[in-house]
Amino acid sequence: MTTLKSSRRKNMRFRIKKQLAFLFTVIIIAVQFPYAALAETDVRDIQTVASFSALGDDVKKQTVPIGTEQEELILPDQLEVEIIASQEERTDTATPSEAEKDMVLDEETVYPAWIPVTWDSEPEYDGDTEGRYVFTADTGGYVLADSAKLPGITVTVEKNSEILPPDDSSARLVSSLMDGGGMKVFKSYAAFKQAFRDESIQGGDVILVSFIPDDSERVYFYYRPGLMEVSIIWDVGEELESTFENVGRFTLKQGDIHLEGKVGTLIIEDGIASIGASEINDITMLGGYLYTGSSNRITGGFIYQGGTIDGALGLSGDGVFINDSDKVVEVTLGSTLYALLPGSELKADGTVRYPIVLETVEGGTAAVSHTMAAADEVLSFEAIPKKGYVFKRWLVVDAYGMSQIFSESTTPSASMPMISSGITVTPIFYSTDASLSSLQYQVEGKAPAAVPGFTGYQDTYHVFLPPDTPQSAVIALKGVPAHQEAKVVGNPQITLSRGAGAASLTVAAQEDTVQKNYTVNFTVTGKNGTSDSSGDSSGGGSSTVDLSVLYGNWEQIVTGGWMFKMTNGS
């Protein structure tokens, strides 16, 4: 652990502090808690404000949906200012320590402080009416110097506006503030320590500690009980090692911390965290390094997405470790080492449960009795095909990509014992559609032509060929199946005999026991509306077929421009 800490400190000493962009939309940026603000001097005795600290851009300009109450807007109840100190204050104020001197901007002229404010809207704010509302700070009895300009916040109410915090910690911060908690920002260890000493941290507060310590700021133990209603966001270089006891919510962005007692929720994004004889409800680990031991009691969920775990897990009661990463994770529970596949979970009693994923497919619906199951637990499957489909089989693939064969794999209502791996279950449905979406014929290799009147449902058609068509022409049928998995079988090609012939085409559905035949009758027509069956286009005898006997009461223009009329009404 010592080697790891040393290397990490060396790498992170000059690391630039992470930016918490969204937090600037809900808080006033505070550089630190100043000496004067933390001393016993009443800031309200100071009358003149020299300047205001700038608000973040996302605070100054807010867009909210219709129906947003004024209480839901981000309107800070305190602003950071520079106060012009009177001569009496300069002489009467106690001499600050060396550390505190660093927090004074100008000891002889101004010093930073926080003052309470309210906000006035022009026009009067109405969250149910679209428009732009400008809020201006009201400082009450404070006098403004000529250089001081009151901050303003512009709120736009729109119909389709939506507020989407970019990360979960920001959403929790907003929730805490709306519930009456306060946001306190510390950018030095001295200010943070002083706030504890003054007991100014209260239940519901969200505490952001964000700074890079210098070599003089090294604290190896910091004890403060009673923080169960407080959320701490820790974004501090590893040089500052700190210990906390009984914290409601702790988010570690970077740093080196040790937790004792009870912890509601621990979120590790980066850095080093160690937990002693603690009771922790939930842990979410996105990265970083965690030291733990079997004496710890994790009573809720430990969601792992990344990072390194050193030591045994102390799962207790309903505690469960969930591997939410895409890799195999090795963890120790008691004295047993477990290699947990992606998506699997380890319970406090040592039971490993594996995920079951049901794929959605075309052709029907399906259900599986479990979403997680332990090895040998019996799973039940149920498949219901849609109209035009039949159930074919179940496809079960394990985490290694291997298909699993079981005795009931071809029945819609099936069961199988769970294996020691996550599985993906896919119901396979086959289409019974053996129809065509289009049908064409091709004479002697020329350009294909569509079969007249083709519908896909009718199975017999008649095509009359122009008189100059060879009496022994070779004709091929070309069909496109309506369903992509259906296919044309056989060789749908014929040679006319004396100017006439019938070609057939067979389509097999995806469920190949279902087939459909299409037949097209071809006839070469003569100039007088009859079929010229001379046997060859070059001559040699002829016979005539009266088409009216066959088809009756139809008139049609045949390819090549010839017209004939069938008059028989049969």
Side-chain angles (χ1 to χ4, degrees), residues 326-344:
D326 57 0
K327 63 181 182 181
V328 176
V329 178
E330 291 188 349
V331 295
T332 301
L333 179 63
S335 59
T336 304
L337 178 65
Y338 295 84
L340 299 179
L341 296 169
S344 59

Side-chain angles (χ1 to χ4, degrees), residues 285 302-311 313 321-332 336-346 352:
M285 189 170 184
F302 186 143
I303 300 175
Y304 176 87
Q305 294 184 1
T308 301
I309 302 172
D310 189 340
L313 297 178
F321 179 91
I322 301 169
N323 182 8
D324 197 28
S325 72
D326 57 0
K327 63 181 182 181
V328 176
V329 178
E330 291 188 349
V331 295
T332 301
T336 304
L337 178 65
Y338 295 84
L340 299 179
L341 296 169
S344 59
E345 61 184 38
L346 173 63
V352 178

Side-chain angles (χ1 to χ4, degrees), residues 11 77 104 178 187 217 248 279 284 289 299 302 318 362 438 465 511 534 537:
N11 292 335
D77 56 7
V104 180
M178 297 308 175
K187 293 209 168 184
E217 293 177 316
E279 178 181 327
T284 297
Y289 206 98
T299 59
F302 186 143
D318 294 329
E362 178 188 8
S438 66
L465 303 172
E511 172 53 52
S534 60
S537 61

Side-chain angles (χ1 to χ4, degrees), residues 346-567:
L346 173 63
K347 300 181 70 175
D349 62 2
T351 300
V352 178
R353 291 166 60 84
Y354 303 94
I356 301 159
V357 177
L358 177 62
E359 294 285 0
T360 301
V361 297
E362 178 188 8
T365 59
V368 179
S369 58
H370 297 66
T371 56
M372 300 286 295
D376 297 327
E377 196 168 350
V378 177
L379 309 178
S380 298
F381 306 150
E382 185 71 32
I384 303 175
K386 294 193 300 187
K387 183 178 180 181
Y389 288 84
V390 295
F391 174 79
K392 197 67 174 178
R393 61 187 175 90
W394 294 99
L395 175 63
V396 178
V397 179
D398 65 18
Y400 305 99
M402 302 294 292
S403 295
Q404 302 296 308
I405 306 300
F406 59 102
S407 60
E408 299 180 17
S409 62
T410 59
T411 59
S413 298
S415 61
M416 67 164 281
M418 184 62 179
I419 62 174
S420 298
S421 163
I423 59 173
T424 299
V425 180
T426 305
I428 306 298
F429 300 98
Y430 275 12
S431 169
T432 59
D433 185 357
S435 65
L436 292 176
S437 61
S438 66
L439 180 60
Q440 296 178 315
Y441 66 93
Q442 188 175 29
V443 180
E444 294 287 304
K446 296 180 181 179
V451 172
F454 176 76
T455 64
Y457 300 103
Q458 181 180 333
D459 54 13
T460 302
Y461 299 88
H462 302 276
V463 173
F464 303 101
L465 303 172
D468 59 352
T469 302
Q471 296 292 300
S472 57
V474 176
I475 300 178
L477 293 181
K478 297 180 179 296
V480 177
H483 191 273
Q484 61 181 2
E485 297 297 336
K487 57 185 178 181
V488 176
V489 297
N491 182 23
Q493 178 175 301
I494 64 166
T495 300
L496 295 182
S497 175
R498 303 181 65 180
S504 293
L505 180 149
T506 300
V507 181
Q510 183 183 24
E511 172 53 52
D512 56 12
T513 59
V514 179
Q515 296 186 346
K516 183 177 178 64
N517 293 315
Y518 290 88
T519 299
V520 181
N521 295 296
F522 293 95
T523 304
V524 177
T525 61
K527 293 184 179 180
N528 60 356
T530 62
S531 173
D532 184 3
S533 302
S534 60
D536 190 285
S537 61
S538 60
S542 66
S543 63
T544 300
V545 178
D546 186 352
L547 298 179
S548 65
V549 174
L550 297 176
Y551 309 117
N553 282 344
W554 286 88
E555 185 174 281
Q556 180 174 348
I557 298 177
V558 180
T559 303
W562 294 92
M563 177 179 286
F564 61 89
K565 187 172 184 180
M566 295 172 283
T567 58

Side-chain angles (χ1 to χ4, degrees), residues 16-33:
I16 298 175
K17 180 181 69 63
K18 295 180 181 178
Q19 299 299 314
L20 304 177
F22 184 73
L23 295 180
F24 294 124
T25 69
V26 294
I27 61 173
I28 303 171
I29 310 299
V31 245
Q32 58 191 20
F33 264 62

